[in-house]
Amino acid sequence: MSIELNHISCSYPGGAQESVTVFDDFSLHIADGEFIGIMGHTGCGKTTLLQLMAGLIAPSGGEVLINGEDINKAGYDRSILRRSVGIVFQYPEYQLFETTVEKDVAFGLKHSGLSRAEVRERVIWALTLMGFSYENIRTRSPLTLSGGEKRRVAIAGVLAVKPDILMFDEPIAGLDPQNRTAFLELAAQLNRQGTTVIIVSHNADALAESVCRLIVMDRGRTVMDGTPNSVFADPVRMQELHLGVSTPRAIADMLAKRGIPIAPDIIRYEELLLELRMNLKAR
Ligand SMILES: Nc1ncnc2c1ncn2[C@@H]1O[C@H](COP(=O)(O)OP(=O)(O)O)[C@@H](O)[C@H]1O
Ligand SMILES: [Mg+2]
């Protein structure tokens, strides 16, 4: 499913203070099946952007189109959103509120029309995908889980709905390396199967290894938008934005400064190794 934001304005009322304008004439087009990363300094509007795209908040101006339909117009069937757009929040503990893990993961399927057996099958499928043993975890209270486990259960609950668009707000912060790799592989796999995937993250290494398009935001604007290779090819600009490039890119820059020529668009470990091997051969 495609997402189009056209000339969006959005602000938060400030109460006693001044209101905060997050977006003023912001536009972004995401095609069906894209795999997108979003980076940006804290407060630049990443979470607000996801909430706008998921229809959780409405813009004060402009339009949000999902598959060409304005999701904020009167009469729009919002059940389409619940079925097709999945969002995993930054703080998953706010997303878990049932008494058992099983009930929590099944929550989004309540009005899906699936039979009990089908719901159970989905719950088993999603929990297994997230690396849990269904039998061991199903009766646990979400409150008793670790931060990383809560996050994985929250992700399972969103996956169980099988949405066409998946959005993750800082999904790998707080995950151990093994679960981080597993999550990124899963996101890539879902994307290959046709799901549009959007990941907000500060982790440049993870984004370099996974996404096909990287959007860099600054104070409610898109300041860079392209392949991760093209975005990380400008470390100076990234530094100005208080953001990092991937570690292989940083190593390549250090080597280049010491007179070892390295292509400027290297961002992944595999690419760096290949380049070093060619360099050694050329000597
Ligand atoms: N519920 C809210 N009420 C008031 N201001 C908010 C609220 N949520 C976010 N903001 C403000 O809006 C701006 C963008 O926030 P956010 O979208 O959370 O940025 P990010 O996710 O990139 O850190 C920030 O200045 C933030 O302080
Ligand atoms: Mg945020």
Side-chain angles (χ1 to χ4, degrees), residues 28-246:
L28 176 66
H29 293 188
I30 295 175
D32 183 32
E34 281 201 273
F35 191 177
I36 292 191
I38 301 178
M39 287 184 94
H41 198 244
T42 303
C44 73
K46 303 179 298 295
T47 297
T48 305
L49 174 62
L50 294 191
Q51 289 177 330
L52 283 164
M53 294 197 289
L56 298 174
I57 55 176
S60 51
E63 52 180 20
V64 181
L65 310 180
I66 301 239
N67 256 6
E69 275 214 74
D70 185 341
I71 63 171
N72 297 298
K73 72 162 188 248
Y76 178 76
D77 177 6
R78 292 186 72 85
S79 72
I80 298 174
L81 281 184
R82 280 196 296 278
R83 261 181 287 133
S84 16
V85 183
I87 178 164
V88 179
F89 297 113
Q90 196 164 358
Y91 304 104
E93 49 273 32
Y94 297 145
Q95 206 159 351
L96 306 172
F97 43 83
E98 292 282 347
T99 50
T100 69
V101 167
E102 174 155 40
K103 281 188 195 161
D104 230 305
V105 176
F107 181 81
L109 298 170
K110 259 187 186 158
H111 305 290
S112 61
L114 295 178
S115 72
R116 248 181 179 198
E118 285 167 326
V119 168
R120 188 162 171 270
E121 221 168 88
R122 285 277 190 101
V123 172
I124 294 174
W125 171 78
L127 282 170
T128 310
L129 262 187
M130 290 317 296
F132 289 109
S133 149
Y134 167 72
E135 284 305 331
N136 291 345
I137 195 95
R138 53 182 284 260
T139 56
R140 291 270 301 274
S141 156
L143 297 175
T144 67
L145 305 175
S146 73
E149 286 171 331
K150 278 183 189 156
R151 186 171 297 265
R152 282 156 59 214
V153 168
I155 295 174
V158 172
L159 293 182
V161 179
K162 298 205 172 182
D164 297 301
I165 300 170
L166 271 169
M167 305 181 195
F168 299 97
D169 204 350
E170 307 273 0
I172 50 186
L175 288 189
D176 60 42
Q178 198 182 341
N179 279 313
R180 192 184 307 160
T181 307
F183 168 78
L184 290 169
E185 272 168 16
L186 175 67
Q189 183 195 332
L190 292 166
N191 176 253
R192 278 195 301 275
Q193 291 165 359
T195 309
T196 306
V197 179
I198 302 166
I199 298 180
V200 167
S201 178
H202 287 293
N203 191 321
D205 285 3
L207 293 177
E209 296 288 345
S210 57
V211 304
C212 305
R213 176 180 170 194
L214 183 57
I215 294 166
V216 181
M217 289 172 58
D218 183 41
R219 282 168 288 180
R221 312 219 161 262
T222 301
V223 286
M224 294 167 107
D225 184 351
T227 61
N229 298 67
S230 71
V231 169
F232 291 150
D234 195 348
V236 177
R237 182 86 179 96
M238 289 299 278
Q239 206 165 18
E240 284 167 4
L241 297 163
H242 308 284
L243 298 169
V245 296
S246 64

